[in-house]
Amino acid sequence: TEHQHVRYNPLRDDWVLVSAHRVKRPWQGQLEKPPPEDVPRWDPKNPLCPGATRANGEVNPKYEGTFVFPNDFPALQPDAPEPDDNDHPLFRAASARGVCKVMCFHPWSDLTLPLMSLPEIRAVVDAWAELATELGASYPWVQIFENKGAMMGCSNPHPHCQVWASSFLPNEASLEDRSQRQHLSQHGVPMLLEYAEQEARRKERLVVENADWLVVVPYWATWPYETLLLPRRHVCRLQDLSDSERDSLASIMQRLLIKYDNLFEVSFPYSMGWHGAPTGSYLAEDCRHWHLHAHYYPPLLRSATVRKFMVGYEMLAQAQRDLTPEQAAERLRSLPEVHYKKRAE
């Protein structure tokens, strides 16, 4: 806990430098603005609200639950020309096609997932699984991800996520596919299933758990309060979860996100996303090496206004963190599971 060392990340086949003593250094750098507390519940000018008009002129229905629509500014489109042939191996390009969707979690703009009810969160889980099935029928990778908070590049406070389906395996998916395949070949058990069993037994990095799921600060975590959400049963894809596992997933997500908000008593920013076995043509292949999981990457380090920057050494050498995963897990684990905004109720 006091001396620097490096830890191996078997999912990405790389290393992270842990320098726990650096969190004690004085900070005179940038301070972030806390998120606004006065977000209106409904705003006709907000393009994600029920009944609002979006940039392309489409009018949203007056939805009362989840709402999915095509991204008006998609990074991927289903039709695109093939790149020109390259005359040198150092100048390679390949086709990229896909579909981008936006999914609103709730009709109210002043809610976030930890403040939603369990049935409302369960509806989000079901909508994720439906999209994974629908888009995964033809696309090899379906990336469900949520950027929460302006600090993580979110331009709209309305509770929502994005779903991008691509005709190719992105870099992180390819890395995880290769590393998990190699681990199963060498050890005869899926990497993250074995890892979940180890963390459940050791408990030093455990944050929350229930009968079907556990959340840990991974041994190789890069971001200060990064967590990994893992099913206890071997599951390859989100759409493979049973009804009871979806219920318990909604519960453990709510518990984790309440702890996140309680850490600095602020709507906690993060980027999160699901990783599971590839789809499309991979549905006919053996993907037992994959184990479903979700990554949470929050940037805050010391307070609601001091974040971790990935610059300098992190960009030019390797990832580095300023407190140990065990310290982060202990702090998260000790937090109450009643949201700070509801303690006075």
Side-chain angles (χ1 to χ4, degrees), residues 291-306:
H291 190 65
L292 177 69
H293 58 284
H295 296 279
Y296 284 83
Y297 298 131
L300 292 179
L301 173 59
R302 303 182 186 209
S303 69
T305 60
V306 178

Side-chain angles (χ1 to χ4, degrees), residues 22-267:
R22 274 175 53 85
V23 78
K24 300 175 184 177
R25 73 191 191 279
W27 181 261
Q28 295 180 321
Q30 178 172 315
L31 298 180
E32 307 294 335
K33 292 181 179 180
E37 295 284 347
D38 58 347
V39 176
R41 178 156 293 182
W42 182 81
D43 181 354
K45 297 179 181 178
N46 186 330
L48 298 187
C49 281
T53 302
R54 304 201 307 273
N56 64 354
E58 293 280 339
V59 178
N60 297 333
K62 294 184 178 180
Y63 63 92
E64 298 180 352
T66 59
F67 169 52
V68 178
F69 62 92
N71 194 314
D72 296 328
F73 303 96
L76 292 162
Q77 296 178 324
D79 298 313
E82 291 286 338
D84 294 335
D85 291 335
N86 301 293
D87 60 359
H88 194 281
L90 294 179
F91 300 92
R92 296 166 60 192
S95 63
R97 299 182 178 89
V99 172
C100 297
K101 293 181 179 289
V102 176
M103 182 182 129
C104 295
F105 298 152
H106 196 280
W108 295 356
S109 294
D110 58 344
L111 280 189
T112 55
L113 279 171
L115 293 171
M116 289 166 54
S117 69
L118 287 178
E120 289 168 339
I121 300 173
R122 166 64 196 264
V124 170
V125 171
D126 287 339
W128 281 343
E130 289 171 12
L131 283 169
T133 301
E134 173 195 336
L135 297 174
S138 51
Y139 287 102
W141 190 254
V142 180
Q143 184 59 65
I144 298 167
F145 64 98
E146 179 193 4
N147 294 325
K148 183 185 174 213
M151 199 181 301
M152 297 310 292
C154 182
S155 60
N156 193 310
H158 195 91
H160 71 286
C161 73
Q162 298 189 56
V163 183
W164 293 11
S166 61
S167 61
F168 55 91
L169 285 190
N171 293 340
E172 293 297 315
S174 295
L175 274 174
E176 291 194 3
D177 184 70
R178 184 166 63 248
S179 63
Q180 290 180 96
R181 187 184 300 274
Q182 183 177 3
H183 187 93
L184 180 64
S185 174
Q186 293 178 350
H187 302 281
V189 61
M191 176 198 294
L192 290 181
L193 179 63
E194 182 178 12
Y195 179 68
E197 292 169 349
Q198 286 287 323
E199 290 287 32
R201 181 173 60 82
R202 296 170 185 253
K203 295 191 181 303
E204 57 188 329
R205 285 169 295 275
L206 190 66
V207 178
V208 287
E209 64 178 329
N210 61 26
D212 300 312
W213 300 87
L214 68 157
V215 175
V216 301
V217 177
Y219 178 79
W220 53 81
T222 298
W223 292 94
Y225 292 96
E226 174 182 335
T227 55
L228 188 64
L229 172 57
L230 295 158
R232 295 182 186 270
R233 179 175 72 92
H234 183 213
V235 182
C236 291
R237 299 179 177 93
L238 192 63
Q239 52 268 46
D240 297 334
L241 296 174
S242 67
D243 277 348
S244 61
E245 286 170 331
R246 295 184 186 195
D247 283 339
S248 57
L249 173 56
S251 173
I252 204 164
M253 283 173 55
Q254 184 187 61
R255 293 169 62 196
L256 169 65
L257 297 179
I258 286 174
K259 284 180 178 288
Y260 269 162
D261 281 8
N262 285 344
L263 179 60
F264 298 129
E265 295 198 346
V266 70
S267 185

